[in-house]
Coordinates of all heavy atoms in Angstrom, one line a residue:
F6 N 51.2 41.6 202.2 CA 51.0 40.6 203.2 C 49.5 40.5 203.6 O 48.9 39.4 203.8 CB 51.7 41.1 204.5 CG 51.6 40.3 205.7 CD1 52.3 39.1 205.8 CD2 50.7 40.6 206.8 CE1 52.1 38.3 206.9 CE2 50.5 39.8 207.9 CZ 51.2 38.6 207.9
W17 N 39.8 28.4 203.2 CA 39.1 27.4 203.9 C 37.6 27.3 203.7 O 37.1 26.3 203.4 CB 39.5 27.5 205.4 CG 38.7 26.8 206.4 CD1 37.9 27.3 207.4 CD2 38.5 25.4 206.5 NE1 37.3 26.3 208.1 CE2 37.6 25.2 207.6 CE3 39.0 24.3 205.9 CZ2 37.2 23.9 208.0 CZ3 38.6 23.0 206.2 CH2 37.7 22.8 207.3
R36 N 19.6 4.5 193.2 CA 19.7 3.1 193.1 C 19.8 2.7 191.7 O 19.1 3.1 190.8 CB 18.4 2.4 193.8 CG 18.3 2.6 195.2 CD 19.3 1.8 195.9 NE 19.1 1.8 197.3 CZ 19.8 1.3 198.3 NH1 21.0 0.6 197.9 NH2 19.6 1.3 199.6
F47 N 31.0 -13.3 195.8 CA 31.6 -12.4 196.8 C 32.2 -13.2 197.9 O 31.6 -14.1 198.4 CB 30.7 -11.4 197.3 CG 30.3 -10.2 196.4 CD1 29.4 -10.4 195.4 CD2 31.1 -9.0 196.4 CE1 29.1 -9.4 194.5 CE2 30.8 -7.9 195.6 CZ 29.8 -8.2 194.6
I49 N 33.5 -11.9 201.6 CA 33.6 -10.7 202.5 C 34.7 -11.2 203.6 O 34.4 -12.2 204.3 CB 32.4 -10.4 203.2 CG1 31.4 -9.8 202.1 CG2 32.5 -9.3 204.3 CD1 30.1 -9.3 202.6
V60 N 31.8 -9.1 216.7 CA 32.0 -9.9 215.5 C 30.8 -10.7 215.3 O 30.5 -11.1 214.0 CB 33.3 -10.8 215.7 CG1 33.1 -11.9 216.7 CG2 33.7 -11.3 214.4
G89 N 36.9 -13.9 223.9 CA 35.9 -14.8 223.5 C 35.5 -14.8 222.0 O 34.5 -15.5 221.6
L102 N 30.3 -19.7 206.3 CA 31.3 -19.0 207.2 C 32.6 -19.9 207.2 O 32.6 -21.0 207.6 CB 30.8 -18.8 208.5 CG 31.8 -18.3 209.6 CD1 32.2 -16.9 209.2 CD2 31.1 -18.3 211.0
R125 N 45.4 -15.2 200.4 CA 46.0 -16.4 199.9 C 45.0 -17.6 200.1 O 45.0 -18.6 199.3 CB 47.3 -16.6 200.6 CG 48.4 -15.6 200.2 CD 49.8 -16.0 200.7 NE 49.9 -15.8 202.1 CZ 50.3 -14.7 202.7 NH1 50.7 -13.6 201.9 NH2 50.5 -14.6 204.0
A138 N 38.1 -15.5 188.1 CA 37.7 -14.3 187.3 C 36.3 -13.7 187.7 O 36.0 -12.6 187.4 CB 37.5 -14.8 185.8
T140 N 35.2 -13.6 191.0 CA 35.2 -13.4 192.4 C 35.6 -12.0 192.9 O 36.6 -11.5 192.3 CB 36.2 -14.4 193.2 OG1 35.7 -15.8 192.9 CG2 36.3 -14.3 194.6
R174 N 30.4 3.9 200.5 CA 30.3 4.9 201.5 C 30.5 4.4 202.9 O 30.1 3.2 203.1 CB 28.9 5.6 201.3 CG 28.7 6.8 202.0 CD 27.2 7.3 201.7 NE 27.0 8.7 202.0 CZ 26.0 9.4 201.7 NH1 25.0 8.8 200.9 NH2 25.9 10.7 201.9
L190 N 29.4 13.1 210.6 CA 29.5 14.3 209.7 C 30.7 14.2 208.8 O 30.7 14.5 207.6 CB 29.6 15.5 210.6 CG 29.5 16.9 209.9 CD1 28.1 17.2 209.5 CD2 29.9 18.0 210.9
L223 N 43.8 -8.4 192.7 CA 44.7 -8.7 193.8 C 45.8 -9.7 193.5 O 47.0 -9.5 194.0 CB 43.9 -9.2 195.0 CG 42.9 -8.3 195.6 CD1 42.1 -9.0 196.7 CD2 43.6 -7.0 196.2
D233 N 52.6 -3.4 205.2 CA 52.6 -3.2 206.6 C 52.3 -1.7 207.0 O 52.5 -1.3 208.2 CB 54.0 -3.6 207.2 CG 55.1 -2.8 206.7 OD1 54.9 -2.0 205.7 OD2 56.3 -3.0 207.2
R275 N 43.3 8.5 215.4 CA 43.6 9.5 214.3 C 45.2 9.7 214.2 O 45.7 10.0 213.1 CB 43.0 10.9 214.6 CG 41.5 10.8 214.6 CD 41.0 10.2 213.3 NE 39.6 9.8 213.3 CZ 38.7 10.5 212.7 NH1 39.0 11.6 212.0 NH2 37.4 10.1 212.8
A279 N 47.1 9.3 210.8 CA 48.1 10.4 210.3 C 49.4 9.8 210.0 O 50.1 10.2 209.0 CB 48.1 11.5 211.4
G299 N 46.0 10.7 185.6 CA 45.8 11.9 185.0 C 46.2 13.1 185.8 O 46.5 13.0 187.0
D305 N 45.1 15.8 193.1 CA 44.4 15.3 194.3 C 45.3 14.5 195.2 O 45.4 14.7 196.4 CB 43.2 14.6 193.9 CG 42.3 14.3 195.1 OD1 42.0 15.1 195.9 OD2 41.8 13.1 195.2
T330 N 49.3 38.5 217.4 CA 48.1 39.3 217.5 C 47.8 39.7 218.9 O 47.4 40.8 219.3 CB 46.9 38.6 216.9 OG1 47.2 38.3 215.4 CG2 45.6 39.5 216.9
G357 N 37.2 36.3 211.7 CA 38.0 35.0 211.9 C 37.0 34.0 212.5 O 37.0 32.8 212.1
V363 N 31.7 28.7 209.8 CA 30.8 28.6 208.5 C 30.9 27.2 207.9 O 29.9 26.6 207.6 CB 31.1 29.7 207.5 CG1 30.5 29.4 206.1 CG2 30.5 31.0 208.0
G365 N 31.6 24.2 209.1 CA 31.0 23.2 209.9 C 29.5 23.3 209.8 O 28.8 22.3 209.8
S423 N 30.5 -2.6 223.6 CA 29.5 -3.8 223.6 C 28.3 -3.5 222.8 O 27.8 -2.3 222.8 CB 29.2 -4.1 225.1 OG 30.3 -4.5 225.7
E428 N 21.7 -6.5 216.2 CA 21.7 -5.0 216.2 C 21.0 -4.6 214.9 O 21.3 -5.1 213.9 CB 23.1 -4.4 216.2 CG 23.1 -2.9 216.2 CD 24.5 -2.5 216.1 OE1 25.1 -2.8 215.0 OE2 25.0 -1.8 217.0

Side-chain angles (χ1 to χ4, degrees):
F6 179 80
W17 162 244
R36 294 287 186 183
F47 284 83
I49 293 181
V60 73
L102 172 62
R125 292 189 289 267
T140 298
R174 194 176 196 171
L190 186 73
L223 293 176
D233 61 353
R275 297 310 166 102
D305 186 46
T330 301
V363 163
S423 296
E428 182 189 63

